[in-house]
Amino acid sequence: MNEDLRLHSPAAERNREPILQVLRRVLPDSGGLLLEIASGTGQHAAYLGEALPRWRWQPSDAEARSLPSIAAWCEGLPNVLPPLRLDVTAPRWDGVPAEADALFCANLLHIAPWACCAGLMQGAARHLRPGAPLLLYGPFIREGVPTAPSNLAFDADLRARDPAWGLRRLEDVADTARAAGLGWCETVAMPANNLLVVFERARSAPGSSTPG
């Protein structure tokens, strides 16, 4: 493993095990192809891919500089495919398999323009097979639920760095998912005031999209 190419995220190190526990419960034991959006450093792809050997893991990221790090972290893992460069706002996701059995995305929407949410949901609807899950991890603001002071401070810091960034209202994300044909399934509370939200590509008509 070429450690010189590996970027490191302390947050990815901390949250990988709680995420794995949810994935083990939600994903079928039979395995399949999982597309990861915004793989970042590649730590999630390496840890989760190794822990779920029946799943072929396709990492991707919009930043070309991330791809060598992802490849270095995942070196030697036979079920993790070479990373793809992927902009979720593109009308077509070139190079992405036509049909995936699951899609996983961590910590993207709050550090990207809002257009990325629509792009993510529309792309998931195009590439997920009917009934397949989209697992979306990160911090959110929820209607009627007090936002943790740490998340409020994080939101203010993000918006100061880029006005297009910031924590998203989960209800707005769910509405965008529903418009693309993805129904909400469940919301799982995670450590450090994060959530893991599970959507599903509609089997026929779009499903319910009321997060709880």
Side-chain angles (χ1 to χ4, degrees):
M1 180 181 295
N2 191 339
E3 297 186 3
D4 291 340
L5 296 176
R6 294 189 304 171
L7 303 174
H8 186 266
S9 165
E13 196 80 17
R14 291 192 299 268
N15 62 35
R16 64 184 191 176
E17 183 60 30
I19 290 174
L20 174 61
Q21 296 309 312
V22 178
L23 266 59
R24 278 182 167 153
R25 176 174 61 80
V26 172
L27 297 178
D29 292 336
S30 56
L33 174 66
L34 183 147
L35 171 63
E36 182 184 9
I37 301 296
S39 299
T41 63
Q43 289 165 260
H44 280 155
Y47 183 78
L48 300 173
E50 184 174 24
L52 300 167
R54 294 183 180 177
W55 282 85
R56 286 185 298 136
W57 199 280
Q58 176 61 76
S60 70
D61 202 89
E63 298 290 339
R65 64 179 181 175
S66 296
L67 304 187
S69 177
I70 298 168
W73 275 103
C74 299
E75 184 179 343
L77 295 177
N79 63 318
V80 180
L81 302 171
L84 300 173
R85 189 173 184 185
L86 176 61
D87 175 3
V88 296
T89 63
R92 293 180 55 182
W93 289 0
D94 292 332
V96 173
E99 191 169 73
D101 300 288
L103 194 153
F104 169 67
C105 179
N107 290 325
L108 169 65
L109 296 186
H110 58 283
I111 53 170
W114 175 242
C116 284
C117 183
L120 173 64
M121 299 306 177
Q122 291 163 9
R126 289 193 305 270
H127 289 275
L128 284 175
R129 63 171 177 77
L134 161 62
L135 301 110
L136 187 61
Y137 173 89
F140 296 92
I141 295 172
R142 289 196 283 177
E143 189 73 31
V145 178
T147 303
S150 59
N151 276 1
L152 290 174
F154 184 38
D155 180 58
D157 176 68
L158 289 171
R159 295 181 187 278
R161 291 159 56 188
D162 189 324
W165 293 3
L167 272 62
R168 308 305 180 184
R169 291 181 69 257
L170 184 54
E171 291 75 17
D172 294 338
V173 174
D175 286 346
T176 304
R178 179 176 56 190
L182 303 172
W184 169 83
C185 293
E186 64 173 311
T187 301
V188 183
M190 303 292 280
N193 302 307
N194 289 294
L195 300 173
L196 202 157
V197 189
V198 183
F199 297 96
E200 181 183 275
R201 184 189 168 190
R203 299 174 188 272
S204 54
S208 169
S209 185
T210 304

